[in-house]
Amino acid sequence: MNRREIIQHIRNNPKVSVLILGGGVNGIGVFRDLGLQGIDVLLVERADYCSGTSAASSRMVHGGLRYLENREFQLVRESVQERNWLLEFAPHAVQPQPSAIPFFHWFSGLLNAPLKFLSLLNRPAERGAIITKIGLYIYDAFTGTRGTIPRHKFLQRADARQQFPGINPKLLGIAIYYDAQMALAERICVEMILDTEKLCSKAHALNYVSLTGCQDNGIVLLDTLSGEKLFVQPKILINATGPWIDDVNNSLGQPTNYIGGTKGSHIIINNSCLYNALNEYLLFFENSDGRYVMMCRLGECVLVGSTDIYCSQPDEAICTPEEEDYFLKMIQHIFPDITVKPEEIVFRFSGVRPLPTAKAKLTGQITRNHRIETIKPTSERIYPILNLVGGKWTTFRSFAEQVTNKTLDFLNLKRVVDSRTGSLGGGKDYPKSQQEINQWLTNLGRQTGVSEEILKTWFTRYGTRAAEFALFASGQVSDNPLQSLPEYSQAEIIFILRNEKVVHLDDFLLRRSLIAMEGKITNELIRELSKIFQTELGWDETGRMDEINRLFDLLEKKHNFTIE
Ligand SMILES: Cc1cc2nc3c(=O)[nH]c(=O)nc-3n(C[C@H](O)[C@H](O)[C@H](O)COP(=O)(O)OP(=O)(O)OC[C@H]3O[C@@H](n4cnc5c(N)ncnc54)[C@H](O)[C@@H]3O)c2cc1C
């Protein structure tokens, strides 16, 4: 069903088993799992899918080495398993990421780590090589023997400096280990929505629909595109609004205090020296203040982050000049000879982690684990509210599994499908080797007449969904590269507009592609794209100008980005 049909369906049938508020990765994970079980479920997201915290992550699919220090062994084990699952079932979007921890001391942290472990240390402090090594042994043990990714190794100073020529000469060595990266996390979310709606005719999702309140044992929603109010009567309400959970409960007349979020920012840098210096590795290291930070390649640029600062206003989160300064100093600490010019910072983003309220003095000590908080039904409200508190991107499937199990219990139903089965989006029927990939591309080229060069690009971006793009393109009278950004084609954009629930320019530029993140937005591109959008989405000229202004406004306010 398209948006209009879903809304008509809600008008006719306000009753639904499950209503999910929030289309971040956790809400979408639950949507997917419930869809797999054939449950009728509606997910509504007040903005675009994956535009809240889920768009602000460091894009690491990781076990969380540093959580060992906080004694979160179970979380690390679970995260490592989920990382391995994603590598297997979303190979188009989640790739192994060689990672490296440079260290400058052998022994520091030998005292601090046990103190932290016993919760007796409340100040940040650097860890040395020995502590890092112990952590990596435990990490490897959790990775198991299936060989999804290699085990860690240590390089002494000479080898380390050979591998990373520009690195700070004070370094003593480097620990090499493996995690994973999801460069365009936002696409995984949209693909899960599309998969679920295709698989289960009773699962529907709407972006740009927000909660306004509750009445008559139901929920009032607002279609923010048309202004229409919609009434829904769920048997269960799932509050998956991340850092906004307490605000939503307030609107429902059920005040809570579950979330004590922390803000984290990132910058994206276009600097070839830094790009080359990273040598394909994600550098994960302690800044001089003892906080773990990272930098890695993201497309053709370098992603640097993140901070961890208490924040109670998730809507206000932006990357401040102080944070930017912090990042630039940390780059200097690791690569003293590399200077990043201000104009090389091509994008900034920030989000608030939906962490549980905690009394920890250091934000890093707050658990990254997840839990479900249940608000029981009352005589005025027949449905329970399940609140999803915490949770990492990496663990969305296992968290969703817990929530789904609880939901099935309430509905008196049994699980029929394990959510570990079935690939995500373009990971379906993914070729197993480079040779199979080449064969797959050649066959598709023969079938559709699309050039192998374009197919390779689409395969990298969309995995095996490239076949759908190619079939669509071959059915068009012609397909030309965009004049302002030839690495994208007109048919490619039109296919996305028709099939991926795009409403605004920013949905495409920020969340269906890496264009914004790589700093590739230009005036020419916006003008060219807005014309394609106008034809496809039926905007009039005023609507097109409004959309352009909306984009400028959002880029400036949320990302401190202005277009010359
Ligand atoms: C700086 C930073 C770095 C991180 N790095 C990593 C990492 O590398 N790896 C990792 O695994 N995890 C990482 N995380 C954690 C991870 O990103 C989050 O825990 C996860 O994305 C939370 O997802 P969510 O679905 O719970 O929340 P969100 O993504 O915030 O989703 C909630 C949604 O609810 C919507 N909403 C709010 N109010 C309403 C309403 N009234 N009606 C309808 N919808 C509403 C919002 O628009 C939002 O889209 C990081 C987090 C941050 C902030």
Side-chain angles (χ1 to χ4, degrees):
M1 281 192 214
N2 61 28
R3 182 180 186 93
R4 195 175 37 77
E5 291 163 340
I6 297 174
I7 289 174
Q8 185 56 42
H9 174 75
I10 297 171
R11 286 189 204 115
N12 297 340
N13 311 280
K15 287 194 192 310
V16 64
S17 289
V18 185
L19 172 64
I20 302 172
L21 294 175
V25 71
N26 285 323
I28 293 174
V30 178
F31 180 70
R32 169 179 177 267
D33 202 346
L34 289 171
L36 285 170
Q37 314 311 319
I39 306 288
D40 57 311
V41 51
L42 173 67
L43 177 145
V44 296
E45 160 59 49
R46 69 170 183 173
D48 188 25
Y49 306 114
C50 199
S51 60
T53 309
S54 299
S57 89
S58 304
R59 281 136 215 278
M60 286 162 70
V61 180
H62 64 143
L65 189 57
R66 77 169 187 81
Y67 310 145
L68 291 171
E69 218 169 56
N70 293 349
R71 293 167 293 182
E72 300 200 271
F73 296 104
Q74 172 47 34
L75 175 62
V76 175
R77 184 195 293 271
E78 179 185 340
S79 306
V80 165
Q81 284 166 351
E82 292 305 309
R83 178 199 65 193
N84 294 352
W85 175 76
L86 277 162
L87 280 165
E88 198 173 338
F89 288 92
H92 64 306
V94 180
Q95 270 102 31
Q97 171 68 64
S99 306
I101 305 180
F103 55 89
F104 298 88
H105 307 275
W106 286 107
F107 297 108
S108 73
L110 268 184
L111 177 65
N112 295 334
L115 286 176
K116 280 194 175 174
F117 191 80
L118 296 169
S119 304
L120 294 175
L121 188 78
N122 281 324
R123 67 184 159 76
E126 276 193 69
R127 300 110 185 136
I130 308 270
I131 282 299
T132 306
K133 187 143 185 83
I134 293 169
L136 284 169
Y137 269 121
I138 301 175
Y139 208 59
D140 279 349
F142 287 160
T143 297
T145 50
R146 284 189 65 194
T148 317
I149 46 179
R151 290 169 170 258
H152 86 269
K153 61 182 183 200
F154 258 64
L155 300 182
Q156 302 290 343
R157 178 192 295 210
D159 292 338
R161 288 190 63 187
Q162 205 173 3
Q163 188 111 0
F164 298 92
I167 207 153
N168 191 329
K170 289 188 196 141
L171 139 134
L172 295 177
I174 276 189
I176 302 277
Y177 70 107
Y178 288 80
D179 256 322
Q181 192 202 36
M182 42 177 189
L184 192 45
E186 293 81 353
R187 283 202 61 83
I188 307 179
C189 278
V190 145
E191 289 185 356
M192 282 198 282
I193 298 253
L194 299 177
D195 282 355
T196 307
E197 285 189 331
K198 197 163 161 190
L199 184 88
C200 175
S201 60
K202 293 189 281 180
H204 306 297
L206 289 170
N207 47 0
Y208 296 100
V209 169
S210 176
L211 167 92
T212 62
C214 53
Q215 73 181 44
D216 305 332
N217 253 321
I219 300 289
V220 185
L221 302 171
L222 177 72
D223 175 358
T224 59
L225 302 181
S226 67
E228 178 180 353
K229 287 207 168 154
L230 299 165
F231 183 64
V232 178
Q233 282 183 303
K235 290 184 190 157
I236 297 176
L237 177 66
I238 293 179
N239 183 353
T241 55
W244 294 273
I245 283 180
D246 293 321
D247 295 345
V248 162
N249 286 333
N250 250 329
S251 312
L252 295 171
Q254 295 285 335
T256 51
N257 186 21
Y258 296 137
I259 302 292
T262 68
K263 179 181 85 154
S265 299
H266 290 85
I267 55 174
I268 298 184
I269 295 171
N270 189 351
N271 174 305
S272 56
C273 295
L274 185 59
Y275 184 88
N276 293 332
L278 286 174
N279 194 8
E280 294 194 22
Y281 283 82
L282 176 148
L283 286 194
F284 187 53
F285 57 97
E286 294 172 81
N287 210 3
S288 41
D289 60 2
R291 178 171 159 61
Y292 270 118
V293 285
M294 54 74 69
M295 53 177 129
C296 65
R297 291 179 177 177
L298 182 79
E300 295 161 20
C301 300
V302 173
L303 172 68
V304 182
S306 67
T307 43
D308 198 4
I309 304 161
Y310 278 116
C311 174
S312 58
Q313 301 294 331
D315 287 312
E316 319 270 286
I318 51 158
C319 177
T320 61
E322 292 74 34
E323 287 175 290
E324 219 168 284
D325 218 45
Y326 175 83
F327 294 139
L328 295 182
K329 285 202 180 104
M330 106 195 187
I331 295 170
Q332 283 269 296
H333 172 53
I334 295 293
F335 295 111
D337 295 335
I338 295 181
T339 307
V340 175
K341 298 191 201 112
E343 64 271 21
E344 288 171 336
I345 302 177
V346 294
F347 205 66
R348 304 153 179 89
F349 60 92
S350 195
V352 173
R353 301 171 183 87
L355 305 180
T357 36
K359 292 201 181 83
K361 285 201 182 124
L362 293 180
T363 47
Q365 286 173 339
I366 306 172
T367 180
R368 264 54 175 171
N369 213 337
H370 46 80
R371 67 168 199 263
I372 307 167
E373 287 285 348
T374 306
I375 304 177
K376 295 212 169 90
T378 61
S379 48
E380 295 89 57
R381 179 177 40 75
I382 55 164
Y383 51 87
I385 307 173
L386 305 191
N387 297 279
L388 276 55
V389 179
K392 283 150 43 85
W393 227 107
T394 309
T395 51
F396 80 85
R397 191 212 58 84
S398 51
F399 192 13
E401 182 177 69
Q402 279 175 23
V403 179
T404 301
N405 288 345
K406 197 151 196 167
T407 306
L408 291 172
D409 278 351
F410 272 115
L411 296 173
N412 232 340
L413 293 169
K414 292 241 169 314
R415 172 175 284 280
V416 289
V417 178
D418 184 333
S419 62
R420 275 169 297 206
T421 51
S423 306
L424 306 185
K428 190 164 182 269
D429 301 326
Y430 198 81
K432 301 259 174 302
S433 62
Q434 191 51 50
Q435 202 186 351
E436 282 188 29
I437 293 177
N438 295 343
Q439 190 59 54
W440 190 89
L441 291 170
T442 307
N443 293 345
L444 188 59
R446 274 199 206 115
Q447 193 190 345
T448 59
V450 177
S451 82
E452 211 156 316
E453 198 193 333
I454 293 182
L455 290 180
K456 264 188 202 153
T457 306
W458 288 354
F459 183 77
T460 311
R461 285 183 191 148
Y462 314 115
T464 51
R465 283 190 79 230
E468 293 176 43
F469 281 76
L471 281 172
F472 174 76
S474 70
Q476 300 291 299
V477 180
S478 64
D479 182 19
N480 296 310
L482 294 189
Q483 280 175 4
S484 52
L485 190 62
E487 66 201 69
Y488 282 83
S489 91
Q490 288 171 351
E492 182 182 4
I493 310 282
I494 294 173
F495 181 81
I496 290 177
L497 291 181
R498 291 195 190 166
N499 294 287
E500 298 195 350
K501 298 183 182 258
V502 174
V503 173
H504 295 293
L505 282 166
D506 49 283
D507 299 343
F508 171 70
L509 289 165
L510 274 90
R511 290 172 290 278
R512 306 295 184 276
S513 72
L514 268 182
I515 295 174
M517 291 237 169
E518 289 184 314
K520 290 181 177 165
I521 298 187
T522 57
N523 258 319
E524 294 71 38
L525 176 67
I526 294 175
R527 226 175 301 125
E528 190 175 3
L529 274 182
S530 70
K531 293 255 157 97
I532 301 178
F533 275 57
Q534 179 170 26
T535 312
E536 279 302 312
L537 303 184
W539 298 343
D540 58 18
E541 194 50 23
T542 317
R544 187 173 77 88
M545 292 318 294
D546 287 350
E547 285 289 337
I548 293 177
N549 289 335
R550 174 197 142 92
L551 176 69
F552 282 150
D553 200 46
L554 178 126
L555 289 174
E556 198 177 327
K557 282 200 184 123
K558 293 284 291 179
H559 304 283
N560 196 4
F561 181 93
T562 40
I563 299 168
E564 300 303 314

